[in-house]
Amino acid sequence: MEWLSAENIVAVGTAVLGIVASAGIFWYERRVPRRKRIGYRVQMDSPIGDDARAGRIGRRLGLFDEAPDMAGATLVLLRIENDGSQGIGRDDYTSPEPHGLTAVFTDRMIRGVSVTQTDSDHLMAHFTAERGFGYTGSTLRIPRVPLNHGEHFKLLVLLSGGDVGRDIKVIGGLHDGEVHSNRSATPDDVTPLFSRASRLITIMLTLSVLTLATIVVARDDNPPPIGCAKGSLQVIGSTAFAPVMQDAARTYEKQCEGSSITVDAHGSTAGVRELDSAGVVWSKKSSPPVVALSDGPKPADMPELKENRVALVVFALVVNDDLKLTDLSTADVRRLYRGEITDWKQLGGPDLPVKLVSRDANSGTRQVFQRRILGRGEIANSSVDCVHKDDPTAKVIRCELDSTDQVLSEVAELKGAIGYAELNVAAGAKGLHVLSLDHNAPSVEAIERGASPYPYREIEYAYTYGQPVSGSLASSFLAYVMKGSGEDEIRAHGHVPCYTPVGMKLCA
């Protein structure tokens, strides 16, 4: 066995990098807290005079002894500080009340409060009744005090009626942050350098990479093949997803000699029906070497087709650049495609007749549009050339075209035209622009973050007739596209691969 092979060197290097990364995580957690944080701690909780219940004997004179309700009186010094790395403003507090935080002294009544120390004199201006500063019973209301990194203030609270050492809590919340109890180090009490979770994660990471390196170094020198397969394969169906498959097919053919993949896209519905028909002929001997792409799930009457969820695809409505509209409501889109709006001036646009440029009935993009936006089918076709109305009784011109490229080209040429297409292709087209729906822009990034309810999107499916034979070109190519380097092709075309952590949730 050759110990100094390139593969073994890479494996050992990976282990070293894993250990360095672990150290980096330690440093980052310790030096660069990532959240806004307010920490609090009790620096003093002491009885004033006699505290028979705690077995303490003392003497009081003057006000401490003469004032009413001072039996069992105690003094608490509460420190509140910004122990994160980011400044905290008044608007960062999440409380619906004027005050930002609430301190609760269990079983004790508050008799008086004093702000004893602050890092900056300007903080004192926030401790007013108008800004929520006050107390009732055992509850102290603390204002929304803005604190820069490291700033703090202290509250000296006079209490009665309870024992020292009873529970004291500060309650509140911060946007993108937390309020928590912290502690200070003393000579006999050293704060741990790293959290328990960090230590556990780092140990597990280090053991994992070291184990990986050991396995790779010690394994057999004869690795299994990478999964290339020879033969011919035809990819049919969705025109919206065809560019991804064309790029993936070219890359696969370069890496795998003896493979030939043809992409012949002519609509989702036509593709899955062609696959189903081919499967009936081939079923006696094997599964046909055909993969059908579909924008959305197949019809229910094709039980033999096996689905593979490949990507999340985002679509968009597009209009000619002469229409300066940038946003439409879903209700207005439905009115447009029912023929109820015949001129764009009815929606605040220019005085131009509406022209609906649609896809044919085989289009998955159209089916997604009807299912996700319209909630019904489109009105009847009324024009062959998208310019002249062939049906004089029709309210608007509506034409149907065979492909995404044809729709975009026609919308760019025709004043008053509106159509729909896959977002990544539409965004790069000239002479037209994409529309937002209900003030939600079509954005893959926003959808990935979970920050957008944009509705015109769908899962892209790849169908085979039954389960492809293991080692066949269909099986190998699908694995390449869905779980291998083909994910890069999907991402490059502006889609979300289903076999990523975020994609699995979106494609579920």
Side-chain angles (χ1 to χ4, degrees):
M1 182 176 185
E2 186 182 353
W3 290 92
L4 294 179
S5 66
E7 185 178 64
N8 293 344
I9 292 174
V10 170
V12 174
T14 301
V16 173
L17 288 176
I19 296 172
V20 173
S22 301
I25 292 173
F26 284 166
W27 179 89
Y28 187 83
E29 182 188 59
R30 186 65 181 172
R31 300 295 181 184
V32 190
R34 289 166 286 175
R35 304 182 69 194
K36 296 177 181 178
R37 302 198 308 177
I38 285 182
Y40 70 91
R41 61 179 178 265
V42 177
Q43 291 191 309
M44 180 183 73
D45 188 358
S46 176
I48 303 173
D50 293 336
D51 186 16
R53 286 170 297 185
R56 296 172 181 173
I57 300 176
R59 292 291 183 267
R60 299 187 297 195
L61 292 176
L63 182 62
F64 283 147
D65 192 47
E66 298 166 3
D69 298 322
M70 290 297 290
T74 54
L75 277 175
V76 168
L77 184 62
L78 184 64
R79 176 188 172 104
I80 297 177
E81 61 188 342
N82 180 349
D83 61 357
S85 63
Q86 302 182 45
I88 297 172
R90 286 177 50 81
D91 293 335
D92 287 324
Y93 293 86
T94 60
S95 171
E97 303 296 332
H99 61 279
L101 304 174
T102 302
V104 179
F105 300 83
T106 303
D107 295 336
R108 288 187 271 186
M109 302 294 289
I110 301 173
R111 300 302 175 189
V113 182
S114 174
V115 183
T116 60
Q117 288 185 22
T118 66
D119 280 331
S120 304
D121 292 338
H122 71 85
L123 298 182
M124 298 298 292
H126 296 275
F127 292 92
T128 63
E130 291 77 16
R131 295 198 172 183
F133 187 42
Y135 62 86
T136 303
S138 61
T139 301
L140 171 62
R141 299 180 296 275
I142 304 171
R144 299 169 179 261
V145 181
L147 295 170
N148 294 324
H149 167 63
E151 284 188 337
H152 76 277
F153 59 87
K154 295 184 180 181
L155 301 171
L156 184 63
V157 186
L158 177 61
L159 304 129
S160 66
D163 296 337
V164 298
R166 298 307 299 270
D167 196 23
I168 300 172
K169 291 184 178 179
V170 175
I171 304 168
L174 298 173
H175 293 292
D176 298 324
E178 63 176 354
V179 176
H180 69 110
S181 174
N182 63 13
R183 57 193 293 187
S184 61
T186 67
D188 297 322
D189 184 11
V190 179
T191 303
L193 183 59
F194 310 115
S195 69
R196 180 181 300 175
S198 294
R199 295 196 299 271
L200 179 60
I201 291 172
T202 303
I203 291 171
M204 292 177 63
L205 174 61
T206 303
L207 289 176
S208 296
V209 294
L210 288 175
T211 302
L212 174 64
T214 302
I215 292 173
V216 173
V217 171
R219 71 178 184 176
D220 194 344
D221 280 331
N222 299 316
I226 64 172
C228 283
K230 297 180 180 180
S232 297
L233 178 68
Q234 186 179 23
V235 179
I236 58 178
S238 169
T239 61
F241 206 69
V244 177
M245 301 305 277
Q246 288 167 349
D247 288 350
R250 284 194 293 266
T251 305
Y252 184 93
E253 288 173 340
K254 290 179 181 178
Q255 296 178 355
C256 300
E257 295 183 4
S259 62
S260 175
I261 303 171
T262 302
V263 179
D264 181 20
H266 44 272
S268 297
T269 300
V272 293
R273 293 202 178 279
E274 182 178 333
L275 171 63
D276 191 57
S277 298
V280 173
V281 176
W282 278 73
S283 60
K284 295 182 180 180
K285 46 185 177 179
S286 64
S287 177
V290 179
V291 172
L293 302 170
S294 177
D295 305 334
K298 64 178 175 64
D301 60 347
M302 301 178 185
E304 297 298 329
L305 299 193
K306 178 176 176 57
E307 73 173 34
N308 300 273
R309 301 188 180 201
V310 179
L312 181 75
V313 180
V314 180
F315 301 89
L317 282 164
V318 295
V319 293
N320 184 276
D321 274 343
D322 284 334
L323 295 173
K324 302 306 179 183
L325 298 173
T326 59
D327 181 87
L328 287 175
S329 68
T330 301
D332 285 339
V333 172
R334 291 172 177 172
R335 292 170 62 204
L336 277 166
Y337 281 85
R338 287 197 300 262
E340 297 174 4
I341 296 176
T342 59
D343 196 289
W344 286 106
K345 65 183 179 182
Q346 294 173 251
L347 294 178
D351 187 5
L352 285 172
V354 171
K355 296 179 180 178
L356 305 176
V357 181
S358 298
R359 290 290 306 281
D360 58 45
N362 287 324
S363 166
T365 305
R366 171 177 165 178
Q367 293 172 11
V368 175
F369 178 59
Q370 293 175 162
R371 183 168 60 251
R372 298 284 189 182
I373 306 300
L374 299 185
R376 49 162 288 169
E378 297 185 41
I379 58 175
N381 192 24
S382 63
S383 175
V384 174
D385 60 7
C386 302
V387 177
H388 303 94
K389 189 184 295 184
D390 301 324
D391 180 3
T393 65
K395 296 179 181 179
V396 296
I397 288 177
R398 178 182 175 276
C399 61
E400 295 183 358
L401 300 175
D402 295 335
S403 70
T404 298
D405 290 341
Q406 290 176 356
V407 169
L408 295 175
S409 177
E410 201 68 35
V411 171
E413 291 292 330
L414 290 178
K415 294 184 177 181
I418 181 172
Y420 43 77
E422 184 268 314
L423 173 62
N424 193 53
V425 179
K430 296 181 179 180
L432 53 82
H433 57 273
V434 301
L435 293 177
S436 297
L437 287 174
D438 299 317
H439 305 294
N440 294 303
S443 168
V444 175
E445 292 78 9
I447 291 172
E448 281 193 276
R449 295 197 311 269
S452 174
Y454 182 78
Y456 194 9
R457 52 178 166 168
E458 187 56 275
I459 298 170
E460 187 70 26
Y461 292 85
Y463 286 101
T464 57
Y465 193 88
Q467 182 68 41
V469 176
S470 178
S472 66
L473 181 54
S475 176
S476 175
F477 182 63
L478 280 177
Y480 170 80
V481 171
M482 295 165 55
K483 305 175 184 178
S485 300
E487 287 188 352
D488 297 335
E489 306 286 354
I490 295 173
R491 179 70 69 182
H493 283 269
H495 310 306
V496 183
C498 284
Y499 277 84
T500 62
V502 174
M504 286 183 179
K505 295 179 181 179
L506 294 174
C507 296

